[in-house]
Amino acid sequence: MNILVINSGSSSLKYKLFDMDKKVPVVSGIAERIGFDGSFIKHENGEKTVINIELPDHKVALQEVLKLLMDPKLGAIKSLDEIDAVGHRILHGQEVFTESVILDKEKVETLKGFIEMGPLHMPANIGGIEACFSLMPNVPQVGAFDTAFHATIPPKAHLYALPYDLYERYRIRRYGFHGTSHKYVANRAAEFLGRSPEGLKMITLHLGNGSSMAAVKDGKCIDTTMGFTPLEGLIMGTRCGDMDPAIVPYIGKKLDMTPDEVDALMNKESGLKGFSGLSNDMRDIQKARSEGHKLAQLVYEMFIYRIVKYVGAYTAALGGLDCMVFTAGIGENDYEARRDICRELGFLGVKIDEELNDGLRGKECRLSTPDSKVEVLLIPTDEELSIALDTFNLVKKA
Ligand code: AMP
């Protein structure tokens, strides 16, 4: 079975065509600068090719991607009939879609009602789905939601102590994001340990440009750091994460900024980049602090501290801790950050093999020593494979 996974961003469209017998992508790529001058497709089929091409919208981008998939030299299939299903990454399922679903026109209409909750991503996600419906009307389309894995978080953890009426009228609550990643690495970690998810108390740390953590008990998420939007929680590349919400009107008044402007400041001009004044990329922060840059050093310490604090909180929420999983750009590659987080958690009995950890990048493995009280794993995330697996399972049942 061949499954195409589509991840549409506001001006990009990532794609991977999976051969589900082998569970590997046969071709993949990304169309970038959709709707702008200078658009192009970076395509990979063992070899990398860049195609400069006008891509005025997502439908045209998808048409060009489908042509590439069927290209005798660059592609992997002869006709679109060889695509058995398409899996779409969707940012928000609100409280309606709590697991992956087979999409139809009615469900797409429901999704349009959630645009306000993800104004950057949702129109692109929906555009990608509609383009597939019109270009491949007979191929089943599946939606996999970034919020879905967090649907099991109980009310005491997903509600905010605002007037309850605001929840009832506007569904203001914690949704959480990066769900496909947390779900994938949590399941993979249980497999790696040769254990059933039942009975496992786990914390998954998705540390990338956007970062979040999830507390997972018996394979189900019971809490996560991101909230109503992906701004809450950890310090990220350009996002501030947790802070006193009263700072928002205070900044607005002091700097004469509108709520939207303060929102942009917290989302795009804060975090590693805003605090250090340097960069959103942890590699730059690491280099700068090694050269004695004070704010880079401080923001790194703040980044680590926030994570350690949440591990403590989630260990309490889980009633113990069996396993921690590092994933995403920083979690998979930044061995210094992994080492510093684990050192701070020595009081919980966390102990990693620092020699093994040192220099280790992107390789699935156990970092903890045999006498560590907590298993510490590095599991590279694969959101597209997670979506492909959900799509495969749903289509097989249908
Ligand atoms: P992601 O959002 O998961 O793609 O992660 C991207 C981020 O991972 C980058 O912005 C960097 O901050 C971080 N990253 C990637 N490689 C490294 C590395 N070798 N050391 C430190 N951080 C890294």
Side-chain angles (χ1 to χ4, degrees), residues 14 178 206-211 237 239 272 279-286 327-337 360-361 381 383:
K14 282 191 212 147
H178 291 145
H206 178 110
L207 309 177
N209 190 35
S211 294
R239 286 171 251 174
L272 301 179
S279 162
N280 64 310
D281 193 312
M282 187 55 101
R283 284 166 288 205
D284 299 331
I285 300 295
Q286 292 288 25
T327 196
I330 298 171
E332 290 169 29
N333 297 300
D334 192 334
Y335 49 90
E336 282 184 89
L360 192 70
R361 292 204 169 107
T381 194
E383 290 170 296

